[in-house]
Amino acid sequence: MTKIDRYILVLFLRTVLICFCSIAGIFVVFHAFTSMDDFVRQGEAQDGLIRVMARYYGPYMLLLFDMTGAMITLLSLLFTVGWLRRTGELTATLSAGISHGRILKPMVIASLIIIVVQLANREFLLPHYRDNLSMKAKYSVEEKEESLLPRYDQTSAMLLDGDAVKPKSHVIIHPNFRIYGEYPSFGDTLMAESAEWVDANQTHPSGYLLRGVRLPEGIDQLRSVGTKARPILLTSHDQNWLQSGQCFFATSVHTDLLLNNESTKRLSSVAELVRRVRNPAVRSSAAIHVALHERIIRVPLDFALVCLGLPLVVNRRERNLFVMIAAALGTVLGFFMLKTLAGAMGGGGYLLSPSMAAWMPLLILGPIAYSRLRDVQTV
């Protein structure tokens, strides 16, 4: 790496940081203005206003980086080249016989690294903070009860329902499970005070531990039932690890599948989406399949967006920075319109399959982006 490469790279990365901090600052100021009373009350009750706000907005900075990283990278590329033109440094470098492609090389490589960092953030950090990102400021410490979306377990023939669900502790409040399978003596309803998700161990498979069972009555006198393949409803009658009034329902329908919000899909990792699609207990919608394929191709698609804006950088006919930015915003708008239209068609089952709907933007824009990258290297 030469000195000019390091100079351009530092200028580019500094521009990326400034753009991101500007967008993040606007978000924090507007949001904090409407939620300051809640933050002040929590700060007085805990360890100060600054630390409370840092715990709340920290995960949101990760989400904001995931949402805007590719667009900020493209705009920073335009700002950097615009600055080099304004100071005359670009003209001097080109007059020395160095091509646009050689000048842009460190920024293009840095753009790819930023997109890969987005991938790591999306797969390893955002899923960890999913519960925090779904809560409002006044619930940033106390756990919020969220509405529950009933889900039918196809392997156990049981409909999971309840009053609410606590996403952090994975507890269903007042579960009301409707039994459609043939389980002798259990009737058609399983009701309790709470149902807590428990991971599998040597004693039992994964499922829900129901406490304070009200229906069926006399749960302690009922024998455990299930199929030849696996147990389904376990009771204290023949399970020593269960206490009186408890029942265990073996299932693979996690509480994340019962949340009535989009965060479980939008903030899930690829591994979690794959497990959800392969889960035989629940039916995955076409939108879930589209989301899975979109996550798989996110890196090359974001890099294609950056490459689509490269001709704007080397355009000799119009050097006005604001015109370049307007053209870049138009490119971004067209990019997301195509991506949204394809996703809607795949999710709704109209003309395109879920996999084709997710891959169509890359199949259309990928060759165009590659040709533009090659053209820039020769200019």
Side-chain angles (χ1 to χ4, degrees):
M1 181 180 290
T2 63
K3 290 184 178 181
I4 188 65
D5 288 333
R6 288 195 292 270
Y7 172 75
I8 294 175
L9 183 60
V10 171
L11 183 61
F12 171 71
L13 294 178
R14 186 171 59 189
T15 306
V16 171
L17 182 61
I18 292 174
C19 291
F20 177 75
C21 290
S22 300
I23 296 176
I26 294 174
F27 168 79
V28 171
V29 168
F30 277 91
H31 187 274
F33 181 78
T34 59
S35 307
M36 186 55 66
D37 292 339
D38 296 322
F39 285 129
V40 171
R41 284 194 294 267
Q42 291 187 31
E44 294 174 350
Q46 299 172 30
D47 49 359
L49 176 62
I50 301 299
R51 293 187 177 180
V52 170
M53 294 183 67
R55 283 198 301 266
Y56 181 78
Y57 286 113
Y60 274 97
M61 296 300 101
L62 299 176
L63 179 62
L64 191 64
F65 173 67
D66 178 65
M67 296 172 59
T68 62
M71 293 182 291
I72 288 177
T73 301
L74 176 58
L75 292 178
S76 298
L77 190 63
L78 298 179
F79 279 124
T80 303
V81 175
W83 177 262
L84 293 175
R85 279 178 174 165
R86 182 178 180 181
T87 58
E89 294 169 305
L90 181 63
T91 303
T93 305
L94 292 173
S95 63
I98 301 176
S99 65
H100 280 91
R102 182 64 184 84
I103 297 173
L104 297 177
K105 184 178 179 179
M107 291 188 286
V108 172
I109 295 176
S111 301
L112 181 58
I113 294 175
I114 291 174
I115 293 173
V116 173
V117 172
Q118 276 187 285
L119 172 65
N121 171 58
R122 192 162 51 245
E123 295 299 318
F124 301 108
L125 295 180
L126 286 180
H128 179 70
Y129 294 106
R130 179 168 53 225
D131 297 333
N132 301 69
L133 292 169
S134 64
M135 295 184 180
K136 297 181 180 180
K138 61 182 178 180
Y139 299 118
S140 60
V141 176
E142 298 180 358
E143 185 172 12
K144 175 189 175 183
E145 295 181 1
E146 297 191 12
S147 59
L148 185 146
L149 179 66
R151 182 78 65 174
Y152 183 72
D153 185 343
Q154 299 181 109
T155 60
S156 302
M158 190 175 299
L159 179 67
L160 282 68
D161 199 357
D163 290 351
V165 60
K166 293 183 177 180
K168 282 188 176 181
S169 55
H170 308 298
V171 174
I172 301 175
I173 306 300
H174 297 149
N176 183 3
F177 298 168
R178 302 291 298 180
I179 302 174
Y180 294 95
E182 295 295 332
Y183 305 127
S185 304
F186 277 85
D188 59 358
T189 305
L190 184 61
M191 298 180 64
E193 291 297 325
S194 66
E196 179 183 0
W197 174 264
V198 180
D199 292 325
N201 56 30
Q202 296 179 352
T203 306
H204 57 78
S206 61
Y208 291 96
L209 177 61
L210 289 86
R211 297 184 174 92
V213 178
R214 300 196 300 267
L215 285 178
E217 297 179 355
I219 187 67
D220 298 329
Q221 282 71 46
L222 299 180
R223 294 181 179 274
S224 301
V225 296
T227 63
K228 294 182 179 180
R230 64 185 182 90
I232 295 179
L233 292 173
L234 306 179
T235 66
S236 61
H237 181 81
D238 47 24
Q239 300 292 325
N240 296 329
W241 59 276
L242 288 174
Q243 300 177 5
S244 177
Q246 293 184 349
C247 177
F248 184 81
F249 169 46
T251 179
S252 57
V253 182
H254 194 272
T255 51
D256 291 343
L257 301 178
L258 303 176
L259 294 176
N260 190 21
N261 58 53
E262 290 294 320
S263 64
T264 55
K265 179 181 70 175
R266 181 166 49 89
L267 301 178
S268 298
S269 64
V270 171
E272 291 173 334
L273 290 174
V274 169
R275 287 195 296 268
R276 181 169 179 175
V277 170
R278 291 182 175 180
N279 192 340
V282 294
R283 177 185 175 275
S284 298
S285 64
I288 296 295
H289 288 266
V290 172
L292 174 59
H293 285 274
E294 286 180 344
R295 294 292 294 277
I296 293 174
I297 64 170
R298 176 76 180 272
V299 170
L301 197 58
D302 284 349
F303 188 65
L305 174 61
V306 176
C307 294
L308 288 173
L310 292 179
L312 303 175
V313 177
V314 299
N315 188 359
R316 299 178 181 272
R317 293 173 297 177
E318 179 56 72
R319 297 187 176 183
N320 188 288
L321 179 61
F322 295 101
V323 174
M324 292 167 54
I325 294 175
L329 292 177
T331 301
V332 172
L333 180 61
F335 174 85
F336 282 103
M337 285 182 61
L338 176 60
K339 185 177 177 181
T340 303
L341 177 62
M345 294 174 65
Y350 183 71
L351 295 180
L352 296 176
S353 64
S355 57
M356 181 56 66
W359 284 82
M360 187 179 71
L362 183 61
L363 295 176
I364 295 176
L365 301 177
I368 300 175
Y370 177 75
S371 63
R372 291 189 172 185
L373 178 62
R374 292 296 300 271
D375 292 342
V376 168
Q377 292 175 347
T378 58
V379 176

